[in-house]
Amino acid sequence: MKTALTSLLVLLACSLGSVQAASDKPLKPCTVVSPTTERFFDLSGLRRTLPKEGDKKKDADEGSWHARGYDYGANFTVNFCGPVVEELSDVQDLDKKLWRNVSAFYERGDRQYAIGLENSEPIFRGRKLILNYTGGSLCPSTPSKRSSPVSLPREIIGDDDDDDDKKHKDKDDDSDKKNKKPSSEKNERRKTTVISLLCESDPLAKSSISFVAAVDECTYFFEGRSRFACGIVHADQQTLSPGGVFGVIAMIAVLVYFVGGCVYQRTVMHQRGWRQLPNYAMWAGIWRFFSDMFIILTSSCARFMPSRRGYSRVSLGADSRGRGRHDESENRLIDQLDEEWDD
């Protein structure tokens, strides 16, 4: 009894431990779980890659995603959770080793401008699913403010000592200006991209991305629509398959049935031995049925097994008289039995 209870507790502890381990499992790249709805989002289906050798090319899916810039003066090329498929040749203000990590760019003339590097971690801003790319080309410098009119101070005629102090002060100011770095280097900004993903519930509609706006040619906003942004139930929360979960539940139910029945039979019905099992009469009848079937099957199969010694007719005599007397005695015995049966 104690062993059954112990095994039940161990099974429950293992099931709780597996659920806890599944909740701590890190998410795959390009996936996220909504903090408000607890739904699971997998955007890896939106990522486009180069077709492998032997695969049939699809005209509609060739290359990365494209968005028309309209009044911006350039069209955009974007990919989700990965670099663009196209080969870049001359990306402005970006090291050549980083060209293969560009996830969004546009072209103006012969120049290419990156508006974000690869990022495979979507995030949530409230209920909005966001994918953010940073580290693109340098933003254009803002125009300097108009210089205000300078008022010329009146010349003060002083002593030579004052003139010497003024010269030393001017030299110190010039040295300070040389040591100071330009403020533009400290305030260096790079182009970034923000993509807001919306759910497309129509199963026949295709995924799309559209350009929304650009803030001072430094931050670019896009809007994407896809069925991958609708979210599903988080299947990674459980480590067992549906069949495994059903099996665990069935094992727990069987253990509860036997343990509870044994406790009832022992404490209330004062049964001992095998009679402590719940529904002992039913289980005993099932056992007898199977044992009887086993005996019947084994005995019927034994008839078909070849015997080592065959049967032979026993000779009662050499002449016909002996056989005749034997037949007459058998007939008299049969008649006698018939008369007794009639009486």
Side-chain angles (χ1 to χ4, degrees):
M1 187 67 61
K2 294 181 178 180
T3 304
L5 290 174
T6 304
S7 61
L8 178 61
L9 293 175
V10 170
L11 185 60
L12 291 174
C14 291
S15 61
L16 292 176
S18 63
V19 173
Q20 182 66 23
S23 61
D24 297 338
K25 184 179 179 181
L27 295 175
K28 297 179 181 179
C30 206
T31 60
V32 68
V33 177
S34 173
T36 56
T37 61
E38 298 295 332
R39 296 182 69 84
F40 178 73
F41 294 81
D42 187 0
L43 303 179
S44 59
L46 292 174
R47 180 178 179 179
R48 289 185 175 177
T49 57
L50 289 172
K52 298 180 180 179
E53 296 181 358
D55 294 346
K56 295 181 179 179
K57 295 182 179 181
K58 297 180 181 180
D59 297 334
D61 295 339
E62 281 296 321
S64 304
W65 297 90
H66 300 283
R68 187 182 298 274
Y70 296 104
D71 57 344
Y72 184 75
N75 296 328
F76 300 90
T77 303
V78 184
N79 202 359
F80 292 91
C81 298
V84 293
V85 178
E86 292 76 10
E87 292 185 4
L88 303 181
S89 58
D90 186 15
V91 181
Q92 299 297 309
D93 307 321
L94 205 64
D95 294 338
K96 189 173 182 179
K97 61 182 180 181
L98 296 177
W99 292 0
R100 58 185 179 182
N101 295 332
V102 174
S103 291
F105 74 96
Y106 66 90
E107 294 181 349
R108 277 185 176 173
D110 297 335
R111 296 182 178 182
Q112 298 173 338
Y113 295 88
I115 58 176
L117 300 181
E118 177 183 359
N119 180 22
S120 59
E121 296 181 359
I123 58 175
F124 270 91
R125 300 293 186 192
R127 298 177 66 90
K128 292 289 186 180
L129 179 59
I130 302 297
L131 189 60
N132 190 16
Y133 296 147
T134 59
S137 301
L138 290 175
C139 298
S141 58
T142 56
S144 59
K145 296 181 180 179
R146 293 182 179 180
S147 58
S148 57
V150 180
S151 59
L152 298 176
R154 294 180 180 179
E155 183 179 359
I156 299 175
I157 301 175
D159 299 333
D160 294 338
D161 295 337
D162 295 337
D163 294 338
D164 295 337
D165 293 340
K166 186 176 181 180
K167 290 179 180 178
H168 288 298
K169 186 176 181 181
D170 293 339
K171 289 181 180 180
D172 294 338
D173 293 340
D174 293 338
S175 62
D176 291 340
K177 289 180 180 179
K178 290 180 181 180
N179 294 330
K180 288 182 179 179
K181 296 181 179 179
S183 60
S184 61
E185 294 182 4
K186 293 183 180 179
N187 298 329
E188 181 183 274
R189 297 176 59 195
R190 290 188 174 272
K191 295 177 181 290
T192 59
T193 297
V194 179
I195 305 175
S196 176
L197 292 164
L198 304 178
C199 173
E200 182 58 72
S201 58
D202 187 1
L204 300 178
K206 295 182 179 180
S207 302
S208 62
I209 185 171
S210 57
F211 172 66
V212 178
V215 180
D216 59 25
E217 293 190 359
C218 198
T219 304
Y220 299 81
F221 294 93
F222 294 86
E223 182 181 88
R225 290 182 175 273
S226 174
R227 59 185 179 87
F228 295 102
C230 296
I232 57 175
V233 178
H234 193 188
D236 289 342
Q237 289 182 353
Q238 57 184 17
T239 56
L240 297 176
S241 61
V245 174
F246 178 78
V248 171
I249 295 174
M251 290 177 61
I252 294 175
V254 170
L255 285 175
V256 170
Y257 168 73
F258 278 103
V259 173
C262 290
V263 171
Y264 175 79
Q265 292 291 334
R266 185 178 181 85
T267 58
V268 178
M269 304 303 294
H270 304 288
Q271 300 291 342
R272 296 295 183 270
W274 288 104
R275 294 186 177 276
Q276 295 179 90
L277 293 175
N279 303 106
Y280 170 76
M282 180 186 69
W283 296 113
I286 293 174
W287 172 255
R288 285 194 297 268
F289 171 77
F290 281 105
S291 60
D292 293 342
M293 290 297 297
F294 178 76
I295 294 172
I296 293 171
L297 292 175
T298 52
S299 61
S300 61
C301 292
R303 297 177 181 177
F304 298 99
M305 296 179 65
S307 58
R308 296 182 180 179
R309 295 181 180 179
Y311 294 98
S312 60
R313 182 179 296 272
V314 180
S315 179
L316 297 177
D319 54 345
S320 59
R321 291 183 180 180
R323 289 195 296 270
R325 287 195 297 269
H326 179 68
D327 295 336
E328 292 177 358
S329 60
E330 286 181 356
N331 294 332
R332 283 196 300 270
L333 180 59
I334 292 172
D335 295 336
Q336 184 179 358
L337 291 175
D338 292 337
E339 291 175 358
E340 293 178 358
W341 181 260
D342 295 333
D343 296 338

